[in-house]
Amino acid sequence: AEVGVQALGSGGPIAEGSRAGTSYALWLDGKARVLIDTGPGSFIRFGEAGLKVADLEAIAFSHFHADHSGGLSGILNTIAVSLSKIAND
């Protein structure tokens, strides 16, 4: 299986320029299957990277500090809206 890691954000707890909070996509066989951490701004980086919530199999956290989990609500909202669209199609 082909495996890769894509950094969506590597920022820390202090806002620094254009760096999003910590978030990584784990790629397996050409799809982003696991999202590791959802720091602030990861929601935007997720979209900019062209990732698809339909490909996600899991969201994992290294720990629950805000700089690693603060963007979770945006990701969950994207998943909910995507599921709603599928259900209504």
Side-chain angles (χ1 to χ4, degrees):
E2 186 178 330
V3 178
V5 176
Q6 178 179 7
L8 302 176
S10 61
I14 298 171
E16 298 174 297
S18 61
R19 290 173 55 192
T22 304
S23 185
Y24 300 91
L26 177 61
W27 288 78
L28 301 171
D29 295 326
K31 294 183 179 182
R33 303 286 186 174
V34 180
L35 186 62
I36 303 168
D37 289 335
T38 58
S42 60
F43 166 71
I44 294 169
R45 297 291 188 257
F46 189 91
E48 289 175 345
L51 305 183
K52 299 176 185 172
V53 293
D55 293 340
L56 284 179
E57 295 178 10
I59 299 173
F61 294 93
S62 60
H63 60 282
F64 291 103
H65 291 169
D67 58 319
H68 289 255
S69 62
L72 180 60
S73 61
I75 299 293
L76 292 179
N77 187 58
T78 299
I79 292 169
V81 170
S82 296
L83 291 174
S84 176
K85 285 183 177 183
I86 291 169
N88 292 323
D89 284 344

PDB file of all heavy atoms in Angstrom, residues 43-78:
ATOM      1  N   PHE A  43      -9.426  23.441   8.982  1.00  0.00           N
ATOM      2  CA  PHE A  43     -10.625  23.383   8.136  1.00  0.00           C
ATOM      3  C   PHE A  43     -10.364  24.045   6.785  1.00  0.00           C
ATOM      4  O   PHE A  43     -10.673  23.489   5.728  1.00  0.00           O
ATOM      5  CB  PHE A  43     -11.774  24.069   8.879  1.00  0.00           C
ATOM      6  CG  PHE A  43     -12.966  24.390   8.039  1.00  0.00           C
ATOM      7  CD1 PHE A  43     -13.798  23.386   7.587  1.00  0.00           C
ATOM      8  CD2 PHE A  43     -13.270  25.704   7.711  1.00  0.00           C
ATOM      9  CE1 PHE A  43     -14.918  23.689   6.805  1.00  0.00           C
ATOM     10  CE2 PHE A  43     -14.376  26.002   6.947  1.00  0.00           C
ATOM     11  CZ  PHE A  43     -15.205  24.990   6.501  1.00  0.00           C
ATOM     12  N   ILE A  44      -9.746  25.212   6.794  1.00  0.00           N
ATOM     13  CA  ILE A  44      -9.432  25.923   5.552  1.00  0.00           C
ATOM     14  C   ILE A  44      -8.367  25.175   4.756  1.00  0.00           C
ATOM     15  O   ILE A  44      -8.485  24.996   3.551  1.00  0.00           O
ATOM     16  CB  ILE A  44      -8.972  27.372   5.867  1.00  0.00           C
ATOM     17  CG1 ILE A  44     -10.136  28.162   6.455  1.00  0.00           C
ATOM     18  CG2 ILE A  44      -8.412  28.052   4.621  1.00  0.00           C
ATOM     19  CD1 ILE A  44      -9.754  29.494   7.042  1.00  0.00           C
ATOM     20  N   ARG A  45      -7.319  24.716   5.439  1.00  0.00           N
ATOM     21  CA  ARG A  45      -6.254  23.974   4.752  1.00  0.00           C
ATOM     22  C   ARG A  45      -6.766  22.668   4.157  1.00  0.00           C
ATOM     23  O   ARG A  45      -6.315  22.243   3.100  1.00  0.00           O
ATOM     24  CB  ARG A  45      -5.099  23.683   5.719  1.00  0.00           C
ATOM     25  CG  ARG A  45      -4.413  24.919   6.233  1.00  0.00           C
ATOM     26  CD  ARG A  45      -3.624  25.620   5.113  1.00  0.00           C
ATOM     27  NE  ARG A  45      -2.836  26.694   5.659  1.00  0.00           N
ATOM     28  CZ  ARG A  45      -3.165  27.976   5.560  1.00  0.00           C
ATOM     29  NH1 ARG A  45      -4.247  28.335   4.930  1.00  0.00           N
ATOM     30  NH2 ARG A  45      -2.394  28.896   6.095  1.00  0.00           N
ATOM     31  N   PHE A  46      -7.707  22.025   4.831  1.00  0.00           N
ATOM     32  CA  PHE A  46      -8.330  20.795   4.336  1.00  0.00           C
ATOM     33  C   PHE A  46      -8.959  21.054   2.971  1.00  0.00           C
ATOM     34  O   PHE A  46      -8.738  20.316   2.018  1.00  0.00           O
ATOM     35  CB  PHE A  46      -9.394  20.338   5.345  1.00  0.00           C
ATOM     36  CG  PHE A  46      -9.969  18.985   5.085  1.00  0.00           C
ATOM     37  CD1 PHE A  46      -9.404  17.862   5.652  1.00  0.00           C
ATOM     38  CD2 PHE A  46     -11.098  18.834   4.302  1.00  0.00           C
ATOM     39  CE1 PHE A  46      -9.944  16.598   5.438  1.00  0.00           C
ATOM     40  CE2 PHE A  46     -11.646  17.588   4.077  1.00  0.00           C
ATOM     41  CZ  PHE A  46     -11.069  16.467   4.641  1.00  0.00           C
ATOM     42  N   GLY A  47      -9.723  22.136   2.873  1.00  0.00           N
ATOM     43  CA  GLY A  47     -10.355  22.499   1.606  1.00  0.00           C
ATOM     44  C   GLY A  47      -9.353  22.932   0.556  1.00  0.00           C
ATOM     45  O   GLY A  47      -9.457  22.539  -0.608  1.00  0.00           O
ATOM     46  N   GLU A  48      -8.372  23.728   0.954  1.00  0.00           N
ATOM     47  CA  GLU A  48      -7.352  24.186   0.006  1.00  0.00           C
ATOM     48  C   GLU A  48      -6.571  23.022  -0.602  1.00  0.00           C
ATOM     49  O   GLU A  48      -6.170  23.064  -1.754  1.00  0.00           O
ATOM     50  CB  GLU A  48      -6.373  25.142   0.693  1.00  0.00           C
ATOM     51  CG  GLU A  48      -6.960  26.486   1.014  1.00  0.00           C
ATOM     52  CD  GLU A  48      -6.015  27.380   1.813  1.00  0.00           C
ATOM     53  OE1 GLU A  48      -5.010  26.878   2.372  1.00  0.00           O
ATOM     54  OE2 GLU A  48      -6.303  28.585   1.884  1.00  0.00           O
ATOM     55  N   ALA A  49      -6.382  21.957   0.199  1.00  0.00           N
ATOM     56  CA  ALA A  49      -5.627  20.795  -0.273  1.00  0.00           C
ATOM     57  C   ALA A  49      -6.472  19.885  -1.160  1.00  0.00           C
ATOM     58  O   ALA A  49      -5.957  18.941  -1.746  1.00  0.00           O
ATOM     59  CB  ALA A  49      -5.090  20.010   0.920  1.00  0.00           C
ATOM     60  N   GLY A  50      -7.766  20.196  -1.268  1.00  0.00           N
ATOM     61  CA  GLY A  50      -8.646  19.379  -2.108  1.00  0.00           C
ATOM     62  C   GLY A  50      -8.997  18.035  -1.502  1.00  0.00           C
ATOM     63  O   GLY A  50      -9.392  17.108  -2.213  1.00  0.00           O
ATOM     64  N   LEU A  51      -8.872  17.920  -0.177  1.00  0.00           N
ATOM     65  CA  LEU A  51      -9.213  16.661   0.477  1.00  0.00           C
ATOM     66  C   LEU A  51     -10.722  16.483   0.504  1.00  0.00           C
ATOM     67  O   LEU A  51     -11.481  17.450   0.468  1.00  0.00           O
ATOM     68  CB  LEU A  51      -8.651  16.634   1.901  1.00  0.00           C
ATOM     69  CG  LEU A  51      -7.154  16.890   2.035  1.00  0.00           C
ATOM     70  CD1 LEU A  51      -6.721  16.759   3.484  1.00  0.00           C
ATOM     71  CD2 LEU A  51      -6.356  15.953   1.160  1.00  0.00           C
ATOM     72  N   LYS A  52     -11.159  15.245   0.577  1.00  0.00           N
ATOM     73  CA  LYS A  52     -12.585  14.928   0.562  1.00  0.00           C
ATOM     74  C   LYS A  52     -12.971  14.249   1.864  1.00  0.00           C
ATOM     75  O   LYS A  52     -12.366  13.251   2.244  1.00  0.00           O
ATOM     76  CB  LYS A  52     -12.903  14.009  -0.613  1.00  0.00           C
ATOM     77  CG  LYS A  52     -12.581  14.618  -1.953  1.00  0.00           C
ATOM     78  CD  LYS A  52     -12.824  13.620  -3.061  1.00  0.00           C
ATOM     79  CE  LYS A  52     -12.380  14.224  -4.392  1.00  0.00           C
ATOM     80  NZ  LYS A  52     -12.427  13.252  -5.461  1.00  0.00           N
ATOM     81  N   VAL A  53     -14.005  14.771   2.522  1.00  0.00           N
ATOM     82  CA  VAL A  53     -14.440  14.156   3.779  1.00  0.00           C
ATOM     83  C   VAL A  53     -14.953  12.742   3.538  1.00  0.00           C
ATOM     84  O   VAL A  53     -14.875  11.895   4.432  1.00  0.00           O
ATOM     85  CB  VAL A  53     -15.498  15.014   4.520  1.00  0.00           C
ATOM     86  CG1 VAL A  53     -14.890  16.310   4.998  1.00  0.00           C
ATOM     87  CG2 VAL A  53     -16.724  15.257   3.679  1.00  0.00           C
ATOM     88  N   ALA A  54     -15.448  12.467   2.365  1.00  0.00           N
ATOM     89  CA  ALA A  54     -15.945  11.119   2.058  1.00  0.00           C
ATOM     90  C   ALA A  54     -14.825  10.075   2.117  1.00  0.00           C
ATOM     91  O   ALA A  54     -15.097   8.892   2.338  1.00  0.00           O
ATOM     92  CB  ALA A  54     -16.612  11.099   0.691  1.00  0.00           C
ATOM     93  N   ASP A  55     -13.580  10.503   1.950  1.00  0.00           N
ATOM     94  CA  ASP A  55     -12.438   9.575   1.992  1.00  0.00           C
ATOM     95  C   ASP A  55     -11.961   9.296   3.413  1.00  0.00           C
ATOM     96  O   ASP A  55     -11.243   8.330   3.649  1.00  0.00           O
ATOM     97  CB  ASP A  55     -11.265  10.131   1.179  1.00  0.00           C
ATOM     98  CG  ASP A  55     -11.553  10.185  -0.310  1.00  0.00           C
ATOM     99  OD1 ASP A  55     -12.464   9.464  -0.776  1.00  0.00           O
ATOM    100  OD2 ASP A  55     -10.857  10.952  -1.006  1.00  0.00           O
ATOM    101  N   LEU A  56     -12.343  10.168   4.362  1.00  0.00           N
ATOM    102  CA  LEU A  56     -11.863  10.014   5.740  1.00  0.00           C
ATOM    103  C   LEU A  56     -12.461   8.779   6.405  1.00  0.00           C
ATOM    104  O   LEU A  56     -13.660   8.539   6.325  1.00  0.00           O
ATOM    105  CB  LEU A  56     -12.219  11.234   6.587  1.00  0.00           C
ATOM    106  CG  LEU A  56     -11.403  12.495   6.384  1.00  0.00           C
ATOM    107  CD1 LEU A  56     -11.931  13.604   7.294  1.00  0.00           C
ATOM    108  CD2 LEU A  56      -9.938  12.250   6.656  1.00  0.00           C
ATOM    109  N   GLU A  57     -11.602   8.028   7.057  1.00  0.00           N
ATOM    110  CA  GLU A  57     -12.043   6.874   7.843  1.00  0.00           C
ATOM    111  C   GLU A  57     -11.910   7.132   9.337  1.00  0.00           C
ATOM    112  O   GLU A  57     -12.551   6.466  10.139  1.00  0.00           O
ATOM    113  CB  GLU A  57     -11.243   5.633   7.453  1.00  0.00           C
ATOM    114  CG  GLU A  57     -11.495   5.216   6.012  1.00  0.00           C
ATOM    115  CD  GLU A  57     -10.680   4.008   5.599  1.00  0.00           C
ATOM    116  OE1 GLU A  57     -10.049   3.363   6.461  1.00  0.00           O
ATOM    117  OE2 GLU A  57     -10.674   3.707   4.391  1.00  0.00           O
ATOM    118  N   ALA A  58     -11.081   8.110   9.700  1.00  0.00           N
ATOM    119  CA  ALA A  58     -10.885   8.412  11.115  1.00  0.00           C
ATOM    120  C   ALA A  58     -10.285   9.797  11.288  1.00  0.00           C
ATOM    121  O   ALA A  58      -9.609  10.314  10.400  1.00  0.00           O
ATOM    122  CB  ALA A  58      -9.952   7.375  11.751  1.00  0.00           C
ATOM    123  N   ILE A  59     -10.559  10.372  12.455  1.00  0.00           N
ATOM    124  CA  ILE A  59      -9.889  11.587  12.909  1.00  0.00           C
ATOM    125  C   ILE A  59      -9.224  11.215  14.230  1.00  0.00           C
ATOM    126  O   ILE A  59      -9.887  10.712  15.140  1.00  0.00           O
ATOM    127  CB  ILE A  59     -10.878  12.755  13.113  1.00  0.00           C
ATOM    128  CG1 ILE A  59     -11.571  13.107  11.795  1.00  0.00           C
ATOM    129  CG2 ILE A  59     -10.152  13.971  13.680  1.00  0.00           C
ATOM    130  CD1 ILE A  59     -12.677  14.135  11.941  1.00  0.00           C
ATOM    131  N   ALA A  60      -7.916  11.414  14.301  1.00  0.00           N
ATOM    132  CA  ALA A  60      -7.154  11.044  15.495  1.00  0.00           C
ATOM    133  C   ALA A  60      -6.517  12.296  16.100  1.00  0.00           C
ATOM    134  O   ALA A  60      -6.273  13.275  15.394  1.00  0.00           O
ATOM    135  CB  ALA A  60      -6.070  10.033  15.122  1.00  0.00           C
ATOM    136  N   PHE A  61      -6.262  12.239  17.388  1.00  0.00           N
ATOM    137  CA  PHE A  61      -5.652  13.368  18.091  1.00  0.00           C
ATOM    138  C   PHE A  61      -4.421  12.917  18.855  1.00  0.00           C
ATOM    139  O   PHE A  61      -4.447  11.892  19.541  1.00  0.00           O
ATOM    140  CB  PHE A  61      -6.654  14.006  19.062  1.00  0.00           C
ATOM    141  CG  PHE A  61      -7.810  14.650  18.364  1.00  0.00           C
ATOM    142  CD1 PHE A  61      -8.977  13.956  18.140  1.00  0.00           C
ATOM    143  CD2 PHE A  61      -7.700  15.948  17.895  1.00  0.00           C
ATOM    144  CE1 PHE A  61     -10.032  14.536  17.475  1.00  0.00           C
ATOM    145  CE2 PHE A  61      -8.750  16.546  17.222  1.00  0.00           C
ATOM    146  CZ  PHE A  61      -9.921  15.837  17.014  1.00  0.00           C
ATOM    147  N   SER A  62      -3.362  13.707  18.759  1.00  0.00           N
ATOM    148  CA  SER A  62      -2.171  13.428  19.550  1.00  0.00           C
ATOM    149  C   SER A  62      -2.425  13.802  21.004  1.00  0.00           C
ATOM    150  O   SER A  62      -1.938  13.152  21.920  1.00  0.00           O
ATOM    151  CB  SER A  62      -0.963  14.187  19.001  1.00  0.00           C
ATOM    152  OG  SER A  62      -1.211  15.586  19.025  1.00  0.00           O
ATOM    153  N   HIS A  63      -3.189  14.876  21.210  1.00  0.00           N
ATOM    154  CA  HIS A  63      -3.663  15.309  22.522  1.00  0.00           C
ATOM    155  C   HIS A  63      -4.705  16.399  22.296  1.00  0.00           C
ATOM    156  O   HIS A  63      -4.920  16.824  21.171  1.00  0.00           O
ATOM    157  CB  HIS A  63      -2.505  15.787  23.413  1.00  0.00           C
ATOM    158  CG  HIS A  63      -1.729  16.937  22.866  1.00  0.00           C
ATOM    159  ND1 HIS A  63      -0.787  16.804  21.867  1.00  0.00           N
ATOM    160  CD2 HIS A  63      -1.753  18.248  23.181  1.00  0.00           C
ATOM    161  CE1 HIS A  63      -0.260  17.994  21.599  1.00  0.00           C
ATOM    162  NE2 HIS A  63      -0.832  18.880  22.388  1.00  0.00           N
ATOM    163  N   PHE A  64      -5.370  16.812  23.348  1.00  0.00           N
ATOM    164  CA  PHE A  64      -6.517  17.705  23.179  1.00  0.00           C
ATOM    165  C   PHE A  64      -6.271  19.161  23.553  1.00  0.00           C
ATOM    166  O   PHE A  64      -7.199  19.864  23.918  1.00  0.00           O
ATOM    167  CB  PHE A  64      -7.730  17.155  23.935  1.00  0.00           C
ATOM    168  CG  PHE A  64      -8.276  15.915  23.315  1.00  0.00           C
ATOM    169  CD1 PHE A  64      -8.027  14.680  23.873  1.00  0.00           C
ATOM    170  CD2 PHE A  64      -9.002  15.977  22.133  1.00  0.00           C
ATOM    171  CE1 PHE A  64      -8.513  13.521  23.289  1.00  0.00           C
ATOM    172  CE2 PHE A  64      -9.486  14.832  21.537  1.00  0.00           C
ATOM    173  CZ  PHE A  64      -9.247  13.603  22.123  1.00  0.00           C
ATOM    174  N   HIS A  65      -5.045  19.653  23.415  1.00  0.00           N
ATOM    175  CA  HIS A  65      -4.810  21.090  23.569  1.00  0.00           C
ATOM    176  C   HIS A  65      -5.473  21.807  22.396  1.00  0.00           C
ATOM    177  O   HIS A  65      -5.628  21.245  21.303  1.00  0.00           O
ATOM    178  CB  HIS A  65      -3.320  21.407  23.586  1.00  0.00           C
ATOM    179  CG  HIS A  65      -2.619  20.908  24.801  1.00  0.00           C
ATOM    180  ND1 HIS A  65      -1.252  20.903  24.902  1.00  0.00           N
ATOM    181  CD2 HIS A  65      -3.075  20.396  25.972  1.00  0.00           C
ATOM    182  CE1 HIS A  65      -0.893  20.421  26.084  1.00  0.00           C
ATOM    183  NE2 HIS A  65      -1.984  20.095  26.743  1.00  0.00           N
ATOM    184  N   ALA A  66      -5.843  23.050  22.596  1.00  0.00           N
ATOM    185  CA  ALA A  66      -6.563  23.815  21.577  1.00  0.00           C
ATOM    186  C   ALA A  66      -5.804  23.933  20.262  1.00  0.00           C
ATOM    187  O   ALA A  66      -6.418  23.954  19.192  1.00  0.00           O
ATOM    188  CB  ALA A  66      -6.897  25.203  22.109  1.00  0.00           C
ATOM    189  N   ASP A  67      -4.473  23.985  20.315  1.00  0.00           N
ATOM    190  CA  ASP A  67      -3.716  24.130  19.067  1.00  0.00           C
ATOM    191  C   ASP A  67      -3.680  22.825  18.266  1.00  0.00           C
ATOM    192  O   ASP A  67      -3.191  22.800  17.141  1.00  0.00           O
ATOM    193  CB  ASP A  67      -2.301  24.660  19.331  1.00  0.00           C
ATOM    194  CG  ASP A  67      -1.483  23.793  20.261  1.00  0.00           C
ATOM    195  OD1 ASP A  67      -2.034  23.306  21.264  1.00  0.00           O
ATOM    196  OD2 ASP A  67      -0.282  23.616  19.996  1.00  0.00           O
ATOM    197  N   HIS A  68      -4.237  21.751  18.799  1.00  0.00           N
ATOM    198  CA  HIS A  68      -4.317  20.482  18.077  1.00  0.00           C
ATOM    199  C   HIS A  68      -5.755  20.044  17.821  1.00  0.00           C
ATOM    200  O   HIS A  68      -5.989  19.083  17.083  1.00  0.00           O
ATOM    201  CB  HIS A  68      -3.597  19.374  18.859  1.00  0.00           C
ATOM    202  CG  HIS A  68      -2.117  19.531  18.844  1.00  0.00           C
ATOM    203  ND1 HIS A  68      -1.299  18.748  18.073  1.00  0.00           N
ATOM    204  CD2 HIS A  68      -1.310  20.399  19.495  1.00  0.00           C
ATOM    205  CE1 HIS A  68      -0.046  19.116  18.259  1.00  0.00           C
ATOM    206  NE2 HIS A  68      -0.027  20.126  19.115  1.00  0.00           N
ATOM    207  N   SER A  69      -6.724  20.726  18.436  1.00  0.00           N
ATOM    208  CA  SER A  69      -8.114  20.304  18.283  1.00  0.00           C
ATOM    209  C   SER A  69      -9.096  21.443  18.019  1.00  0.00           C
ATOM    210  O   SER A  69     -10.286  21.193  17.814  1.00  0.00           O
ATOM    211  CB  SER A  69      -8.565  19.538  19.532  1.00  0.00           C
ATOM    212  OG  SER A  69      -8.506  20.379  20.677  1.00  0.00           O
ATOM    213  N   GLY A  70      -8.620  22.683  17.975  1.00  0.00           N
ATOM    214  CA  GLY A  70      -9.490  23.845  17.854  1.00  0.00           C
ATOM    215  C   GLY A  70     -10.276  23.961  16.561  1.00  0.00           C
ATOM    216  O   GLY A  70     -11.261  24.683  16.497  1.00  0.00           O
ATOM    217  N   GLY A  71      -9.883  23.240  15.522  1.00  0.00           N
ATOM    218  CA  GLY A  71     -10.603  23.304  14.250  1.00  0.00           C
ATOM    219  C   GLY A  71     -11.565  22.150  14.029  1.00  0.00           C
ATOM    220  O   GLY A  71     -12.146  22.014  12.951  1.00  0.00           O
ATOM    221  N   LEU A  72     -11.773  21.335  15.059  1.00  0.00           N
ATOM    222  CA  LEU A  72     -12.630  20.154  14.903  1.00  0.00           C
ATOM    223  C   LEU A  72     -14.053  20.503  14.488  1.00  0.00           C
ATOM    224  O   LEU A  72     -14.634  19.827  13.639  1.00  0.00           O
ATOM    225  CB  LEU A  72     -12.648  19.333  16.193  1.00  0.00           C
ATOM    226  CG  LEU A  72     -13.505  18.074  16.169  1.00  0.00           C
ATOM    227  CD1 LEU A  72     -13.038  17.113  15.084  1.00  0.00           C
ATOM    228  CD2 LEU A  72     -13.516  17.401  17.529  1.00  0.00           C
ATOM    229  N   SER A  73     -14.619  21.574  15.035  1.00  0.00           N
ATOM    230  CA  SER A  73     -16.005  21.917  14.714  1.00  0.00           C
ATOM    231  C   SER A  73     -16.192  22.194  13.221  1.00  0.00           C
ATOM    232  O   SER A  73     -17.194  21.801  12.633  1.00  0.00           O
ATOM    233  CB  SER A  73     -16.487  23.108  15.552  1.00  0.00           C
ATOM    234  OG  SER A  73     -15.689  24.246  15.278  1.00  0.00           O
ATOM    235  N   GLY A  74     -15.227  22.844  12.593  1.00  0.00           N
ATOM    236  CA  GLY A  74     -15.319  23.104  11.153  1.00  0.00           C
ATOM    237  C   GLY A  74     -15.271  21.825  10.342  1.00  0.00           C
ATOM    238  O   GLY A  74     -16.031  21.656   9.373  1.00  0.00           O
ATOM    239  N   ILE A  75     -14.410  20.891  10.730  1.00  0.00           N
ATOM    240  CA  ILE A  75     -14.315  19.612  10.033  1.00  0.00           C
ATOM    241  C   ILE A  75     -15.605  18.821  10.216  1.00  0.00           C
ATOM    242  O   ILE A  75     -16.161  18.263   9.257  1.00  0.00           O
ATOM    243  CB  ILE A  75     -13.103  18.792  10.537  1.00  0.00           C
ATOM    244  CG1 ILE A  75     -11.789  19.540  10.290  1.00  0.00           C
ATOM    245  CG2 ILE A  75     -13.089  17.400   9.922  1.00  0.00           C
ATOM    246  CD1 ILE A  75     -11.394  19.713   8.849  1.00  0.00           C
ATOM    247  N   LEU A  76     -16.127  18.773  11.455  1.00  0.00           N
ATOM    248  CA  LEU A  76     -17.370  18.037  11.707  1.00  0.00           C
ATOM    249  C   LEU A  76     -18.544  18.655  10.958  1.00  0.00           C
ATOM    250  O   LEU A  76     -19.418  17.933  10.455  1.00  0.00           O
ATOM    251  CB  LEU A  76     -17.660  17.980  13.208  1.00  0.00           C
ATOM    252  CG  LEU A  76     -16.694  17.144  14.039  1.00  0.00           C
ATOM    253  CD1 LEU A  76     -17.073  17.202  15.515  1.00  0.00           C
ATOM    254  CD2 LEU A  76     -16.655  15.705  13.550  1.00  0.00           C
ATOM    255  N   ASN A  77     -18.580  19.968  10.869  1.00  0.00           N
ATOM    256  CA  ASN A  77     -19.645  20.630  10.125  1.00  0.00           C
ATOM    257  C   ASN A  77     -19.569  20.262   8.642  1.00  0.00           C
ATOM    258  O   ASN A  77     -20.588  20.013   8.000  1.00  0.00           O
ATOM    259  CB  ASN A  77     -19.570  22.145  10.303  1.00  0.00           C
ATOM    260  CG  ASN A  77     -20.751  22.837   9.675  1.00  0.00           C
ATOM    261  OD1 ASN A  77     -21.889  22.565  10.027  1.00  0.00           O
ATOM    262  ND2 ASN A  77     -20.488  23.727   8.727  1.00  0.00           N
ATOM    263  N   THR A  78     -18.368  20.204   8.090  1.00  0.00           N
ATOM    264  CA  THR A  78     -18.186  19.813   6.694  1.00  0.00           C
ATOM    265  C   THR A  78     -18.687  18.393   6.474  1.00  0.00           C
ATOM    266  O   THR A  78     -19.366  18.110   5.471  1.00  0.00           O
ATOM    267  CB  THR A  78     -16.691  19.904   6.302  1.00  0.00           C
ATOM    268  OG1 THR A  78     -16.269  21.252   6.466  1.00  0.00           O
ATOM    269  CG2 THR A  78     -16.463  19.481   4.862  1.00  0.00           C
TER     270      THR A  78
END
